[in-house]
Amino acid sequence: MSNTNPARGMRDFLPDQIRKRNYVIGVIKEVYEKYGFEPLETPSIENLSTLTNKYGEEGDQLMYKILKRGEKLKKQLRREDEVKEDDLADLALRYDLTVPLARVIANNRNELPRFFKRYQIQPVWRADRPARGRYREFYQCDVDAIGSKSIVVEVELISAVSEILNRLQFSDFEIRVNHRESLRKMVSEAGIGEEQTSDALVSLDKLDKIGAEGVYKELSARGIDQTAASAFLDSVNQESIPKELAELTRMIPQIKIDLSLARGLSYYTGAIFEMVLTKGDFAGSIAGGGRYDGLIGMFGKEEIPAVGLSLGLERILMIMEERDMFPDDLTTNAADVLVTIWNEETASDSLKLAGELRQNGLRVTIYPQPDKLGKQFKYADQIDVPFVCVLGESEIAENTVTLKNMKTGDQETLSVKEAIERLSDHFVTTDSK
RNA sequence: GCGGCUAUAGUUCAGUUGGUUAGAACGCCUGAUUGUGGUUCAGGAGGUCGAGGAUUCGAGUUCCUCUAGCCGCCCCA
């Protein structure tokens, strides 16, 4: 038998998983829209040149590149000099949603409002090694506000995400903020060279994971001398609030300043933030973002300020699964009622009944072929349908249906009208409120 | 990219120092029940033992290579 697994790091989503994903995505959309963000979608594939050199070296390596096609590919393969990876590819799968957004902004400057607030929930791809809660294809839920330097934007984004997390019943999250400017000062004041800035920040970011000693060791391993390393580490503990963060702290008092917060992406220029869960064993962040005033300018002449934030949907889902946080009434079955089929001749009666029930607002599935009733009941049980309408010869003759409650096992032969009323009482009134 | 563990039925797993026809549970199918599922009983189907090679009279079992999965590291959401 051939291998039937999806490609490595990719997943199939079965109906139950989709329901959970849709529930979370629904909450996210609802809150974002409540804050006045507009939906945006961009293509899965971008020109390779759009994506390269935006994420740092690591990012370029983790990008899925798409081979050139036809004559263009053959031409490269025929070349006698050394052919580089990027000569063979001209397209790539998007690596995040921020760079495509920057491209859209630069490309539609005239059509878009002066301040553009958008949300975007789409998959992105990274050729990374899969791990717990980490995949090669995964969804990002981004909100970004383009065009303003005001701190109001940061505040709005942080409140929106807080509201989402609250609505999803997360009670133990903490908002950590830092500022690229503060980090830059810490690095230079410690006497760490500019070329080692990113090394220093990557190590520092792990402070809460590996502790001060761990960071110190890593800094040394990366060739940063003792005095610089300890000065750098000490600067994390400074008491005073850096002036870059003073206003944000005043507006959202519950945020925690964390001078060890660095974040990997190189395009951030101002405030950076991260939402982390404080209980449980999961150490990673479930949302993160920051201000990137330079990125959009890379696509056009104008520098356009921007702040963005991304929710880690996969992590949120994973934790909600582990903590059993999905609401009980999350619909877990395909239909409210199953209509049976007695034989070939009565199939049209069953179809008609199903249609009538549907018109009355019920979710109805019809057993797809004539079969023994036992099998039809077994199937109803398997797909977790709470009611079955048996439409057999005698029911059709008397213009009735037999309605069975699968949970209690009770059943009753009723007129079609009564059956509809019975079922509507059960489902429709509560649903449409 | 580096290290460790694992790979046997649809699923979870057992399989003795290498020995005949590879087992269990659950699931699936059939029947007991020709108009009734979830319980019970009887029966049945389903395996190139991850792939390839080596050792051996003989390999699910030992060795090598590859592939995939899981757990760490690196990095990241």
Side-chain angles (χ1 to χ4, degrees), chain A residues 181-193:
Chain A
E181 197 53 46
S182 316
L183 285 167
R184 197 166 310 134
K185 268 187 236 158
M186 282 162 56
V187 171
S188 69
E189 277 166 19
I192 294 170

Side-chain angles (χ1 to χ4, degrees), chain A residues 4 9 24 27 49 78-79 81 91 98 116 119 147 219 233 251 268 305 309 315 340 351 394 428:
Chain A
T4 52
V24 173
V27 169
S49 57
R78 276 198 302 265
R79 272 170 51 181
D81 54 326
L91 300 170
T98 310
F116 182 49
Y119 71 88
L219 289 170
L233 269 169
M251 295 180 96
Y268 291 123
L309 200 147
R315 288 182 170 182
T340 64
L351 284 165
S394 49
V428 181

Side-chain angles (χ1 to χ4, degrees), chain A residues 217-418:
Chain A
K217 267 189 207 149
E218 240 192 80
L219 289 170
S220 315
R222 291 179 192 236
I224 290 164
D225 71 66
Q226 286 184 20
T227 31
S230 39
F232 185 51
L233 269 169
D234 285 345
S235 64
V236 172
N237 299 319
Q238 60 185 273
E239 289 290 317
S240 59
I241 296 172
K243 67 170 189 297
E244 298 87 10
L245 291 169
E247 206 182 345
L248 195 60
T249 317
R250 193 171 55 75
M251 295 180 96
I252 315 178
Q254 64 269 37
I255 59 171
K256 295 223 162 103
I257 290 174
D258 178 357
L259 294 173
S260 73
L261 176 67
R263 294 190 61 74
L265 293 172
S266 51
Y267 50 61
Y268 291 123
T269 54
I272 48 182
F273 26 84
E274 221 168 64
M275 279 76 193
V276 293
L277 297 176
T278 52
K279 288 179 199 147
D281 61 344
F282 185 75
S285 61
I286 57 169
R291 179 170 277 282
Y292 51 99
D293 287 346
L295 181 64
I296 300 172
M298 292 171 82
F299 291 101
K301 288 167 195 150
E302 252 182 307
E303 286 279 306
I304 299 171
V307 188
L309 200 147
S310 181
L311 276 162
L313 180 69
E314 312 299 345
R315 288 182 170 182
I316 288 174
L317 282 161
M318 182 185 88
I319 293 160
M320 288 182 68
E321 191 70 57
E322 282 172 10
R323 296 185 180 182
D324 198 18
M325 288 164 64
F326 294 100
D328 296 334
D329 61 351
L330 199 64
T331 306
T332 56
N333 61 8
D336 305 324
V337 194
L338 178 135
V339 175
T340 64
I341 294 189
W342 182 248
N343 60 31
E344 299 283 353
E345 287 72 43
T346 67
S348 59
D349 297 285
S350 295
L351 284 165
K352 196 175 142 234
L353 174 63
E356 253 178 280
L357 295 170
R358 287 178 187 132
Q359 274 188 349
N360 282 276
L362 293 157
R363 296 150 64 231
V364 183
T365 191
I366 186 160
Y367 194 86
Q369 59 193 41
D371 220 331
K372 285 185 172 179
L373 267 188
K375 282 194 164 189
Q376 305 197 39
F377 274 101
K378 194 166 182 174
Y379 175 71
D381 186 52
Q382 193 181 24
I383 61 171
D384 223 12
V385 170
F387 286 92
V388 172
C389 274
V390 180
L391 199 60
E393 277 172 327
S394 49
E395 283 88 353
I396 291 167
E398 293 161 22
N399 199 25
T400 57
V401 297
T402 297
L403 181 63
K404 174 159 178 168
N405 181 326
M406 293 298 281
K407 216 169 239 154
T408 61
D410 299 339
Q411 69 175 47
E412 214 174 336
T413 301
L414 308 160
S415 73
V416 172
K417 200 179 150 207
E418 281 173 319

